[in-house]
């Protein structure tokens, strides 16, 4: 995976060549990614879906993250990124099913890497109130949960210390176990508040 070739860009979003995934994260090079957020409605409430990252993931294991996301390889178009949805969570969607939220500059720096993404962000309206259709790529994803959007926004703003999420996890045999969890802000991948804010604002406009 670290040898995957990615298209790289300058600060003006102009393409300047290609580099390996390892080089991209080591040097903090701008590259393209695909982010797909599932949204849904149940009993009049709007929900946002999160994947639970596998405990074997190198980065952010056991944290809640974007429903499905991944890198756009050098030979791919943005629409090709939709493959991540099927690969990670087993839901068949096509590019025409998605609502584009545009490109968001996304930057995270840790002790191990510098992640500077041109994140192509999309919404997908998930109109089922069960988790039956999800089939997870266990080495990447260990569960799917949904959180009521207004509660999640209050959590981000510090107006709530905890929220309840509903979903399922995979047990040691790969079977789904339905469960509710009480989580706090530290339970989520630490994307920038501005990133989450842009997503929530767009969802409100979409609704």
């Amino acid at each position: 995976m670290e040898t995957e070739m990615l298209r790289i860009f300058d600060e003006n979003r102009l393409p300047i060549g290609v580099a390996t995934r390892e080089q991209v994260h080591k040097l903090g090079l701008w590259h393209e990614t695909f982010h797909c957020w599932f949204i849904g409605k149940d009993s009049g409430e709007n929900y946002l879906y999160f994947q639970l990252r596998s405990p074997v993931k190198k980065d952010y294991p056991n944290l809640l993250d974007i429903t499905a996301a991944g890198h756009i390889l050098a030979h791919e178009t943005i629409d090709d990124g939709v493959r991540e949805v099927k690969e990670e969570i087993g839901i068949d969607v096509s590019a025409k099913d998605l609502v584009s939220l545009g490109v968001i500059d996304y930057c995270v720096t840790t002790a191990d890497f510098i992640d500077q993404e041109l994140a192509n962000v999309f919404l997908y309206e998930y109109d089922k109130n069960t988790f039956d259709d999800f089939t997870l790529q266990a080495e990447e994803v260990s569960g799917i949960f949904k959180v009521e959007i207004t509660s999640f926004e209050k959590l981000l703003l510090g107006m709530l210390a905890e929220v309840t999420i509903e979903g399922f996890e995979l047990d040691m045999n790969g079977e789904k176990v339905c469960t509710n969890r009480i989580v706090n802000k530290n339970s989520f991948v630490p994307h920038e508040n501005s990133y989450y804010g842009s997503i929530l604002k767009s969802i409100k406009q979409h609704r």
Side-chain angles (χ1 to χ4, degrees), residues 4 6 34 68-91 93 98 137:
E4 290 177 340
L6 308 179
F34 171 89
H71 291 81
I72 303 295
L73 303 181
H75 65 278
E76 292 182 315
T77 67
I78 301 305
D79 285 351
D80 290 326
V82 76
R83 62 178 164 72
E84 295 288 347
V85 181
K86 178 66 174 177
E87 289 176 4
E88 291 190 348
I89 61 177
I91 304 292
V93 302
L98 306 180
Q137 185 181 14

Side-chain angles (χ1 to χ4, degrees), residues 149-163:
I149 290 177
T150 300
S151 296
F152 179 63
E153 186 171 27
K154 289 180 179 178
L155 181 71
L156 292 178
L157 295 173
M159 299 168 64
L160 289 175
E162 298 175 330
V163 295

Side-chain angles (χ1 to χ4, degrees), residues 21-185:
R21 182 167 172 170
E22 181 180 24
Q23 291 171 326
V24 159
H25 290 149
K26 181 178 181 180
L27 301 175
L29 303 173
W30 287 99
H31 59 288
E32 293 177 306
T33 56
F34 171 89
H35 293 185
C36 183
W37 286 98
F38 278 34
I39 56 175
K41 181 170 284 191
D42 187 7
S43 301
E45 299 289 346
N46 292 312
Y47 286 86
L48 189 60
Y49 286 75
F50 287 82
Q51 65 163 260
L52 181 65
R53 293 172 67 86
S54 167
V56 300
K57 289 285 287 181
K58 177 183 176 183
D59 305 316
Y60 308 118
N62 295 312
L63 293 186
L64 296 156
D65 200 3
I66 301 159
T67 324
H71 291 81
I72 303 295
L73 303 181
H75 65 278
E76 292 182 315
T77 67
I78 301 305
D79 285 351
D80 290 326
V82 76
R83 62 178 164 72
E84 295 288 347
V85 181
K86 178 66 174 177
E87 289 176 4
E88 291 190 348
I89 61 177
I91 304 292
D92 263 321
V93 302
S94 67
K96 65 181 177 59
D97 298 323
L98 306 180
V99 176
S100 174
L101 303 186
V103 180
I104 297 176
D105 289 358
Y106 171 82
C107 307
V108 172
T109 301
T110 72
D112 298 323
F113 67 94
I114 306 168
D115 194 15
Q116 297 208 119
E117 302 180 9
L118 301 177
N120 296 268
V121 185
F122 298 87
L123 292 182
Y124 176 72
E125 191 86 37
Y126 187 66
D127 59 3
K128 298 182 180 180
N129 292 328
T130 74
F131 295 95
D132 295 344
D133 290 346
F134 289 94
T135 303
L136 306 186
Q137 185 181 14
E139 63 271 24
E140 297 284 336
V141 184
S142 58
I144 295 289
F145 288 88
K146 65 180 183 180
V147 60
E148 196 275 313
I149 290 177
T150 300
S151 296
F152 179 63
E153 186 171 27
K154 289 180 179 178
L155 181 71
L156 292 178
L157 295 173
M159 299 168 64
L160 289 175
E162 298 175 330
V163 295
T164 299
I165 60 175
E166 172 189 348
F168 73 90
E169 294 181 62
L170 299 181
D171 64 16
M172 295 183 64
N173 298 315
E175 300 295 327
K176 293 179 183 177
V177 178
C178 293
T179 182
N180 289 355
R181 284 186 174 194
I182 297 175
V183 298
N184 58 36
K185 191 174 180 180

